[in-house]
Amino acid sequence: MQEFIQKLQDLIGIAHVLTDQQAMQPFLREWRGLFAGKAQAVVFPASTQEVSSIVKLCIAYAIPLIPQGGNTGLVGGQISELSNGVVLSLKRMNRVLDVDAQNNTLTVEAGATLHAVRAAAESADRLFPLSLASEGSCTIGGNIATNAGGTAVLAYGSMRASVLGLEVILPNGEILNIMSHLRKDNAGYDLKQLFIGSEGTLGIVTKAVLTLAPRPKAWAAAWCAVASPEAALILLKQMQNNFAQELTTFELMPKIGVEMVARHIPNAKTPLQNDSAWHVFIETSSSRSAAQITLMPELEQAITAAFDKNILQDAVLAHSEAQRVHFWHIRESFSEAQKHEGGSIKHDVSVAVAHIPAFIAEASAAVCALFEGARPVPFGHMGDGNIHFNISQPVISNTSDFLAQREAVNACVHALVRRYHGSIAAEHGVGRLKRALLAQTKYASAYALMQQLKQALDPQNTMNPHAVL
Amino acid sequence: MQEFIQKLQDLIGIAHVLTDQQAMQPFLREWRGLFAGKAQAVVFPASTQEVSSIVKLCIAYAIPLIPQGGNTGLVGGQISELSNGVVLSLKRMNRVLDVDAQNNTLTVEAGATLHAVRAAAESADRLFPLSLASEGSCTIGGNIATNAGGTAVLAYGSMRASVLGLEVILPNGEILNIMSHLRKDNAGYDLKQLFIGSEGTLGIVTKAVLTLAPRPKAWAAAWCAVASPEAALILLKQMQNNFAQELTTFELMPKIGVEMVARHIPNAKTPLQNDSAWHVFIETSSSRSAAQITLMPELEQAITAAFDKNILQDAVLAHSEAQRVHFWHIRESFSEAQKHEGGSIKHDVSVAVAHIPAFIAEASAAVCALFEGARPVPFGHMGDGNIHFNISQPVISNTSDFLAQREAVNACVHALVRRYHGSIAAEHGVGRLKRALLAQTKYASAYALMQQLKQALDPQNTMNPHAVL
């Protein structure tokens, strides 16, 4: 193996090949500690050509290659668990190459952070709509490989919707150039779709052309209390009817979760005192010129109408930018707050939007029947059917007793997801965490076709083996 | 072969297997007469199971299978040119199975017409946004197979953006069930993307789950005269800045084309008398409640502002629904009108939006240098970069002399498209017409990957052979 490492060093320079266990740790460890990584090297190529050469070398030596962006993934897709594995970090390929306000496109290397891309778009008075809590660390390449979601999917779609073109290193080491700037192109198969969301198992994204949205000129936000997810669903329909695609955020949260945030997170007081069991955070935004004057009064009017119809129990509008930011702060502190409440068991699932109330009710009842006192904290992106079905341990229970039931709780929730024809991996992907689950839950014909694609593109199984499939 | 036909008849009934040359004609002929089809049979299965059985039978007998929807395709993708070929028409599988206004989804068999789907959506107070002149004949399966475009792509995207789930018969005859109703799902590869736009070469779409948009509550339309495509581009940016995603139509047309329409099409008088060389048809629409009051005055104001800034020379707003329909009538009569002007040579291309003016100027000059007196009529969807670069023969020339130059004209226009990194098949696909051109114009690595996918899924080359690849 010394020969292999030597050749890696020859290819990209000794300074860019880590082999020391200590030095490799930040690239081997998953941030929540769910996966303990192993590898023989972490490499940092600086160019497309270098990535291509590394792939070819790995094929020649039959070495598994694990592409890594910001190492923020939640399902271990970026973690090498093989002691002979090579982690390929795109960190050094982080340039924003071009921002074109005429074409509304941005060209970028895969290792650029989401934050850098959003900032570059903003400096050209445009919006790059993908928004994630990890934007400072996560990379565009990782966002593409995982088809990242986040809070803006309702209005702008997932990452897939923002990709026009890609440069990909195929599992045979060849460079695939499909760096299109076009908005309409039916010249053959749309190859980029293969790589978006395939979690580095079919190739390594090295560059991308992204499409930019107009920058919103106005925002309006409201925090509402509703009696139930059923009421929230009616409110959602009402708001969509009023605001169509300008309803850009509709987040459902249980009161218990908002209280956890208030308890543990600094400066995160609940915006309203109300006994209702559920809260909804609504944001409308628009890049129409006229919206600068009308957006706020229109939201106020819609909220008042919903109140008059008894759809919502109480509501407060953000009357300042600080207050709007405060609403976001509460919503984005959910995961952090739950950590302070002991053990939790999480599920990243989706069902058809109209099934959310029934799903939450059934799943909550089933989980509580399984483990007395368990506290379901289902929250998330109601507008696109994605619920983070998280469960906190009972208040007066032993954490390890609770976590020992993880498998049983997972089985119970995922069985229900299947009954609703939902997804067991709505947003965070499959990675290594849900690999077995994917095999169990997909229709055989669909799973077989995935395997067939993997086999066709990567017959040696070099690219991120043991992820997804 | 009699044995094969016999087995087909056994599978789906003798009444649903055409073998008579006369009776098969409507399914063999391409409507513009560009392809003279041949086949041994045209079959009309009534169910997913029947399609699966037919595919398996064709594999066993090594018979090429050509799926067909409404036979409206413009590049011959739906035409069998092989005397042993079997055309599989989805005509009998034309039911709208479900319209769910809560989930904003519609479930449909592939043979339903686009018109039937739009009508079903409308009856549930929803919009199915795809809009094509051929909506009465073209089918949803064909729309999916060709990733159909049309005039609403600017606001709603191509067909791909409206598909949530599919049922596909794979080239091995197996049924792939990926009939998802979900808006967010990262559980493995997004398999549906493979089949959308692959023109029946990787499988036969038999069912689909489509996503519906809210039905617009208001429309406003204007017909404008501008000095040049450069001015039209400035106008586009201005309108996008004003209306964002509510700018749903922005069609560029040369005056010469509008005059052809006025000359040959009944009730299609030019909306404005002006010497400007270019016209633009703008439509805004919105499903926001408030838009019912504000949309029209806002468009009027934006048009006035553009006039004051000398971006446009003249404009007329549609002050009645009849007038708005009249604008659409003119725009949609372009192809028909050109037929009355003698021979024409057409190109369905796209470039980056900002390159449209330069592309039109260069391509027009090049074509006129090649054939004196040739009359370029470039028109189309400026907002998404798709220009139908059509050229009418000179007024005082022989049609066959002009058409004899087709190859040279094509080569000249497509060379320019390549220089602009554009697409030689932006909207209508590749089919049989542009198969050789695709091979010439794609990067080798992209073309090879397409071949690899085809080989992996359809090693016997049963599915629509000689289309696309």
Side-chain angles (χ1 to χ4, degrees):
Chain A
M1 275 303 100
Q2 201 40 53
E3 182 185 280
F4 170 71
I5 297 290
Q6 179 66 51
K7 286 196 175 169
L8 275 180
Q9 293 171 344
D10 292 348
L11 280 178
I12 65 170
I14 191 162
H16 306 303
V17 180
L18 293 185
T19 53
D20 176 76
Q21 286 301 322
Q22 199 58 34
M24 288 196 291
Q25 279 312 305
F27 306 94
L28 300 184
R29 232 173 315 176
E30 193 254 3
W31 66 283
R32 293 181 305 185
L34 287 182
F35 298 86
K38 282 182 266 181
Q40 63 169 314
V42 181
V43 297
F44 303 86
S47 69
T48 300
Q49 210 40 261
E50 286 187 359
V51 178
S52 165
S53 303
I54 293 168
V55 173
K56 286 177 179 168
L57 188 67
C58 285
I59 296 166
Y61 283 81
I63 299 295
L65 195 51
I66 293 86
Q68 190 176 90
N71 193 12
T72 59
L74 292 162
V75 290
Q78 74 282 18
I79 299 297
S80 167
E81 294 192 304
L82 303 163
S83 54
N84 69 334
V86 168
V87 174
L88 188 152
S89 167
L90 277 302
K91 273 206 154 188
R92 287 174 68 215
M93 295 178 64
N94 63 358
R95 289 174 301 168
V96 174
L97 300 169
D98 182 49
V99 185
D100 187 334
Q102 271 283 356
N103 277 320
N104 292 317
T105 51
L106 185 152
T107 309
V108 66
E109 289 182 326
T113 62
L114 174 56
H115 177 80
V117 167
R118 285 177 59 92
E122 205 169 309
S123 70
D125 197 31
R126 295 291 180 276
L127 173 73
F128 185 69
L130 184 71
S131 174
L132 302 173
S134 60
E135 69 164 65
S137 320
C138 70
T139 65
I140 284 298
N143 299 152
I144 292 169
T146 58
N147 186 29
T151 49
V153 173
L154 180 59
Y156 297 98
S158 296
M159 187 67 190
R160 189 180 298 276
S162 292
V163 179
L164 292 181
L166 290 180
E167 180 186 78
V168 181
I169 311 303
L170 296 172
N172 61 11
E174 275 184 39
I175 301 166
L176 176 69
N177 181 343
I178 44 173
M179 287 287 278
S180 169
H181 286 69
L182 305 176
R183 281 160 207 290
K184 218 168 173 184
D185 182 10
N186 278 333
Y189 307 159
D190 190 1
L191 296 173
K192 67 175 178 286
Q193 308 291 351
L194 259 182
F195 304 99
I196 302 168
S198 64
E199 305 188 31
T201 61
L202 299 176
I204 303 175
V205 171
T206 46
K207 279 186 202 139
V209 182
L210 307 174
T211 177
L212 303 176
R215 197 166 164 212
K217 297 188 177 88
W219 288 264
W223 196 275
C224 312
V226 295
S228 64
E230 284 80 1
L233 186 64
I234 296 169
L235 185 61
L236 172 64
K237 293 288 148 182
Q238 203 79 43
M239 291 295 140
Q240 285 181 318
N241 193 37
N242 273 290
F243 299 108
Q245 66 276 65
E246 294 187 356
L247 178 70
T248 41
T249 303
F250 193 99
E251 300 283 308
L252 177 70
M253 292 155 287
K255 186 170 181 247
I256 182 179
V258 178
E259 287 169 349
M260 286 176 182
V261 171
R263 197 145 56 225
H264 303 294
I265 308 294
N267 307 314
K269 285 248 162 355
T270 311
L272 39 80
Q273 297 309 320
N274 187 284
D275 281 339
S276 303
W278 295 86
H279 290 204
V280 170
F281 170 36
I282 293 173
E283 192 173 85
T284 59
S285 67
S286 173
S287 30
R288 288 181 301 115
S289 310
Q292 289 167 272
I293 303 158
T294 58
L295 206 64
M296 187 68 178
E298 278 172 25
L299 180 58
E300 189 153 13
Q301 204 179 331
I303 292 287
T304 306
F307 182 79
D308 291 346
K309 285 185 199 160
N310 257 321
I311 299 169
L312 57 81
Q313 309 303 309
D314 197 1
V316 54
L317 277 97
H319 285 290
S320 68
E321 179 61 12
Q323 207 172 354
R324 188 174 76 88
V325 170
H326 179 68
F327 291 173
W328 274 111
H329 177 51
I330 300 170
R331 167 60 188 84
E332 292 192 330
S333 299
F334 255 64
S335 293
E336 182 60 29
Q338 260 194 295
K339 284 187 201 162
H340 298 270
E341 296 278 333
S344 58
I345 302 176
K346 303 186 172 190
H347 309 84
D348 164 40
V349 305
S350 65
V351 295
V353 177
H355 292 155
I356 289 179
F359 173 79
I360 288 180
E362 288 182 53
S364 300
V367 162
C368 292
L370 207 63
F371 202 95
E372 213 191 313
R375 294 173 295 162
V377 189
F379 70 98
H381 323 302
M382 188 163 195
D384 50 46
N386 180 199
I387 293 296
H388 297 299
F389 196 83
N390 295 356
I391 306 136
S392 278
Q393 68 170 78
V395 179
I396 47 153
S397 159
N398 188 309
T399 299
S400 55
D401 284 357
F402 178 67
L403 294 182
Q405 296 301 311
R406 188 193 297 272
E407 296 285 316
V409 171
N410 285 347
C412 159
V413 172
H414 290 144
L416 201 60
V417 170
R418 288 169 75 177
R419 190 139 61 70
Y420 278 95
H421 303 289
S423 171
I424 51 90
E427 183 166 69
H428 304 152
V430 175
R432 287 169 172 75
L433 189 66
K434 295 185 177 174
R435 189 177 155 229
L437 188 61
L438 186 76
Q440 290 158 27
T441 51
K442 276 280 157 187
Y443 279 109
S445 58
Y447 194 76
L449 182 54
M450 290 184 202
Q451 288 179 308
Q452 210 180 337
L453 289 171
K454 171 73 175 171
Q455 174 66 27
L457 267 74
D458 186 15
Q460 277 205 48
N461 200 16
T462 304
M463 285 290 171
N464 212 1
H466 312 307
V468 186
L469 298 172
Chain B
M1 276 304 100
Q2 201 41 50
E3 182 185 279
F4 171 70
I5 296 291
Q6 179 66 50
K7 288 198 173 168
L8 274 180
Q9 293 172 344
D10 292 348
L11 280 178
I12 63 170
I14 191 164
H16 306 302
V17 179
L18 293 185
T19 52
D20 177 75
Q21 286 300 322
Q22 199 59 34
M24 288 197 291
Q25 280 310 306
F27 306 93
L28 300 184
R29 231 173 317 175
E30 194 254 2
W31 65 284
R32 292 181 306 185
L34 287 182
F35 298 85
K38 283 182 266 181
Q40 64 169 314
V42 182
V43 296
F44 303 86
S47 69
T48 300
Q49 209 41 259
E50 286 187 0
V51 177
S52 165
S53 302
I54 293 169
V55 173
K56 285 176 179 169
L57 189 67
C58 286
I59 296 167
Y61 283 82
I63 298 295
L65 195 52
I66 293 86
Q68 190 177 90
N71 192 11
T72 59
L74 293 161
V75 290
Q78 75 282 18
I79 299 297
S80 167
E81 294 191 304
L82 302 163
S83 55
N84 69 334
V86 168
V87 175
L88 188 151
S89 167
L90 277 302
K91 273 206 155 189
R92 288 174 69 215
M93 296 178 63
N94 62 358
R95 289 173 302 169
V96 174
L97 300 169
D98 181 50
V99 186
D100 187 334
Q102 271 283 357
N103 277 321
N104 292 317
T105 50
L106 185 151
T107 308
V108 65
E109 289 182 326
T113 62
L114 175 56
H115 177 79
V117 167
R118 286 177 59 92
E122 205 170 309
S123 71
D125 196 30
R126 295 290 181 275
L127 173 74
F128 185 68
L130 184 71
S131 174
L132 301 173
S134 59
E135 69 164 62
S137 320
C138 69
T139 65
I140 284 297
N143 299 153
I144 292 169
T146 58
N147 186 30
T151 48
V153 173
L154 179 59
Y156 297 98
S158 296
M159 187 66 189
R160 188 180 299 277
S162 293
V163 179
L164 292 181
L166 291 179
E167 181 187 79
V168 181
I169 310 304
L170 295 172
N172 61 9
E174 275 183 40
I175 301 166
L176 176 70
N177 180 343
I178 43 172
M179 287 287 278
S180 169
H181 286 70
L182 305 176
R183 281 160 206 289
K184 219 170 174 182
D185 183 10
N186 278 332
Y189 307 159
D190 190 0
L191 296 173
K192 66 175 178 287
Q193 307 292 351
L194 259 182
F195 303 99
I196 302 168
S198 64
E199 305 187 30
T201 61
L202 299 177
I204 304 175
V205 172
T206 46
K207 280 187 201 134
V209 182
L210 307 174
T211 178
L212 302 176
R215 198 166 162 211
K217 297 189 177 89
W219 289 263
W223 196 276
C224 314
V226 295
S228 64
E230 284 80 0
L233 186 64
I234 296 170
L235 185 60
L236 171 65
K237 293 287 148 184
Q238 203 81 43
M239 292 294 140
Q240 284 182 319
N241 192 38
N242 272 290
F243 299 108
Q245 67 275 66
E246 294 187 357
L247 177 70
T248 41
T249 303
F250 192 99
E251 300 283 307
L252 177 69
M253 293 156 286
K255 187 170 182 249
I256 182 179
V258 179
E259 286 169 350
M260 287 177 182
V261 171
R263 196 144 58 225
H264 302 293
I265 308 295
N267 308 313
K269 285 249 161 356
T270 310
L272 38 80
Q273 298 308 320
N274 187 285
D275 281 339
S276 302
W278 294 86
H279 291 203
V280 170
F281 171 35
I282 294 173
E283 191 173 85
T284 59
S285 68
S286 173
S287 29
R288 288 181 301 115
S289 310
Q292 290 167 271
I293 304 159
T294 58
L295 207 65
M296 187 69 177
E298 279 171 24
L299 180 59
E300 189 153 13
Q301 205 180 331
I303 292 286
T304 306
F307 182 79
D308 291 346
K309 285 185 197 160
N310 257 321
I311 300 169
L312 57 81
Q313 310 302 310
D314 197 1
V316 54
L317 277 96
H319 284 290
S320 68
E321 179 62 11
Q323 206 172 353
R324 188 174 76 88
V325 170
H326 179 68
F327 291 172
W328 274 110
H329 177 51
I330 300 171
R331 166 61 187 84
E332 291 190 333
S333 299
F334 255 65
S335 292
E336 182 60 29
Q338 261 194 294
K339 284 187 201 161
H340 298 269
E341 297 278 333
S344 58
I345 302 176
K346 302 186 172 190
H347 309 85
D348 164 39
V349 305
S350 65
V351 294
V353 177
H355 291 155
I356 288 179
F359 174 79
I360 288 179
E362 288 182 53
S364 299
V367 162
C368 292
L370 206 63
F371 202 96
E372 213 190 313
R375 294 173 297 162
V377 189
F379 69 98
H381 323 302
M382 188 164 194
D384 50 45
N386 181 199
I387 293 297
H388 297 300
F389 195 83
N390 295 356
I391 307 136
S392 279
Q393 68 169 79
V395 179
I396 47 153
S397 158
N398 187 307
T399 298
S400 56
D401 284 357
F402 178 67
L403 294 183
Q405 296 300 310
R406 189 194 295 273
E407 297 285 315
V409 171
N410 284 348
C412 158
V413 172
H414 290 145
L416 200 61
V417 170
R418 288 169 74 177
R419 188 139 62 69
Y420 277 95
H421 303 289
S423 171
I424 51 90
E427 182 165 68
H428 305 151
V430 175
R432 287 171 171 74
L433 189 65
K434 295 184 177 174
R435 191 177 152 229
L437 188 61
L438 185 76
Q440 290 156 27
T441 51
K442 276 279 159 189
Y443 279 108
S445 58
Y447 194 76
L449 182 54
M450 291 183 201
Q451 288 179 308
Q452 209 179 338
L453 289 170
K454 172 72 175 171
Q455 174 66 26
L457 266 74
D458 186 14
Q460 277 205 48
N461 200 18
T462 304
M463 284 291 171
N464 212 1
H466 310 308
V468 185
L469 298 173

